[in-house]
Amino acid sequence: MPTTEGTPVTDKHVDTPTHPDADWWRQAVVYQVYPRTFADADGDGLGDIKGVTSRLDHLQGLGVDAVWLSPFYPSALADGGYDVDDYRDVDPRLGTLADVDEMIHEAHQRDIRVIVDIVPNHSSDRHAWFVEALAAEPGSPARERYVFRDGRGPDGSEPPTDWMSHFGGPAWTRVPDGQWYLHLFTREQPDFNWDNREVRDDFLRTLRFWSDRGVDGFRVDVAHALAKDLSDPLRDLGGRHPDALTELPMDGSHPYFDREEVHEIFREWREVLDEYDPPRSAVAEAWVANSRRVLYARPDELGQAFNFELVRAAWGAPQWHVVVDESLSAAQVAGASATWVLSNHDVVRHASRFALPAGTDLNAWLLSGGTDPEPDRERGLRRARAATLFMLSLPGSAYLYQGEELGLPEVADLAPEDLQDPIWERTEHREKGRDGCRVPLPWEKDGPSFGFGASDRPTLPQPEWFGDLSVQAQDGVEGSTLELYRDALRLRRELQGDESLQWLQDGEPTRTLHLRRSTGWECLTNFSDAPVPLPAGEVLLASGPLTDGELPGETSVWLRR
Ligand code: GLC
């Protein structure tokens, strides 16, 4: 319960889980819900908060520790809700604050914590502050909350710098009085000026607002972009957007990504998060190199930062070995716990990534409607299941994305007229975007929108074959991906050890990775196509059928000796 004096708390809003434990997040399984496509309770074709509540039994049965909700705030959906009009309210199409209170309460009843998404780099252009800024004079305090500058060239008609938007096109848009404002994402997502005290205070207020309502943690969107060097003259960058994981300077000298000053902001946030009992958790989304990323996860900052290395690593024992070793040691140096991700709302689902030859250009594949190259779906699912058991055996937290427990592949053949991701238009159709992993979930074998809701026109169209992968089609079916996830999450709770890991394979790995946790729990993953001998021990779970004394190719097994 919040303990700070002055924090407005009422009993109604305080709803702590039944087993408060300050460190629950260090080795948790967190399930990401993309609210607009998870479950639609009111039948308007768009997922909503009551839909989430209605499906909490599914999440409890799955065995997750927490649910992370992508933004459900009022938004014009210029970027799937990551364009926020008001950080302390709910999109009326998705429900009300009372619905969120109820969802939190019902989740806690089931021992599921709730994490909400905070989008501090930018608001939407409909946010009251941005509307005020547009109406105000250049140089006014209202404009100071964002990043407004005069343009270059004799009449100021050139953007202030050559900075590019992450979604294509220039990162500056001109307003009628001639000034330009900065938006690292779409033009509907103006960047805040984090040098401004009012901006900082307002986000502290938002953290308290949700914490007071019983939210257990925060996912921090684009955490590495908040602090910017806005001293004039602004520096040009060569007209391209850097690949944040590989091309950023390691000394914090980029003008808007991963600057040293960003850590002051999160130290201030930690003080607020620690006002609560148990302290609220936080996880940074920071697409920067390992050694820089873990700085966001230091104990006096956010505690965790997403590690996207498994999203990028090609399938193979040597590569995954390096990823795990480097990620664990980086986390250890920072005093953070490790995190693992195979899929989320921004990337091609891993059952499809693993179905494609190594090195496939995923955007080109999406543009081909998912046909060139032709995915090997069986292989993709086999590898996805093996990868899941491997990931879930690692120390630290695993972040699952809605639908991966069904083995869903990417819906790669969405028609151009159905696409909603701003990437499609902003790149002038050169990039297809992220809609294919955001298609509404199939809950039932048939019926309107396969049980997503009563409407037969869900917000994105579902393919015919979705029903075969639905929760209903897999529930209680031996060997289904859903039952594999349920077994794995149940066993993981029982077998969980400290945050260390010991490798058991000899020398440099080539085909297999074999690890042991402090409780004697082992995971052996065969990355090759050919079977390998099964070690001695009691088999607890396998990602595919085992043959006599052997572990088939592209399969993982959990053992105990
Ligand atoms: C993060 C979100 C992504 C969004 C972007 C801009 O990367 O995960 O979905 O488009 O931030 O807010």
Side-chain angles (χ1 to χ4, degrees), residues 73-193:
Y73 316 114
S75 167
L77 301 186
D79 181 19
Y82 284 89
D83 45 320
V84 178
D85 299 349
D86 181 345
Y87 294 87
R88 299 184 285 270
D89 204 351
V90 179
D91 184 338
R93 288 167 299 181
L94 270 61
T96 61
L97 279 170
D99 293 341
V100 173
D101 289 341
E102 186 198 6
M103 186 262 300
I104 295 170
H105 174 77
E106 290 296 323
H108 287 172
Q109 290 296 311
R110 292 166 178 76
D111 252 338
I112 298 174
R113 266 98 171 168
V114 179
I115 295 174
V116 298
D117 219 310
I118 295 288
V119 189
N121 179 65
H122 43 264
S123 68
S124 80
D125 60 351
R126 308 196 312 173
H127 190 285
W129 276 0
F130 193 70
V131 174
E132 192 188 332
L134 285 186
E137 298 284 302
S140 61
R143 289 218 168 164
E144 277 304 302
R145 298 185 189 119
Y146 293 89
V147 184
F148 281 85
R149 288 288 183 281
D150 291 331
R152 293 193 292 201
D155 53 359
S157 63
E158 301 288 322
T161 65
D162 63 357
W163 300 354
M164 297 296 289
S165 149
H166 192 66
F167 293 152
W172 297 94
T173 289
R174 200 168 195 196
V175 300
D177 62 33
Q179 278 213 307
W180 299 73
Y181 69 88
L182 177 68
H183 52 88
L184 293 182
F185 294 89
T186 68
R187 63 195 303 155
E188 294 88 355
Q189 292 167 296
D191 281 46
F192 280 118
N193 170 15

Side-chain angles (χ1 to χ4, degrees), residues 307-313 320 323 340-342 353 391 394:
N307 168 14
F308 296 117
E309 300 291 328
L310 288 181
V311 174
R312 292 163 62 99
W320 286 45
V323 162
W340 310 101
V341 178
L342 286 167
R353 294 202 311 270
M391 171 174 83
L394 296 172

Side-chain angles (χ1 to χ4, degrees), residues 34 68 79 82-83 117 119 122 166-167 185 189 219 221-222 285 287 344-346 434 438:
Y34 193 72
W68 145 35
D79 181 19
Y82 284 89
D83 45 320
D117 219 310
V119 189
H122 43 264
H166 192 66
F167 293 152
F185 294 89
Q189 292 167 296
R219 179 260 187 196
D221 191 66
V222 211
E285 184 210 28
W287 289 85
N344 65 28
H345 66 297
D346 289 330
R434 303 159 293 178
R438 301 175 177 180

Side-chain angles (χ1 to χ4, degrees), residues 33 39 46 80 87 166 188 218 296 335 372 432 438 496 528 540 549:
V33 161
L46 196 65
Y87 294 87
H166 192 66
E188 294 88 355
F218 298 90
Y296 296 77
D372 185 16
K432 196 162 176 190
R438 301 175 177 180
Q496 192 57 276
S528 76
L540 302 171

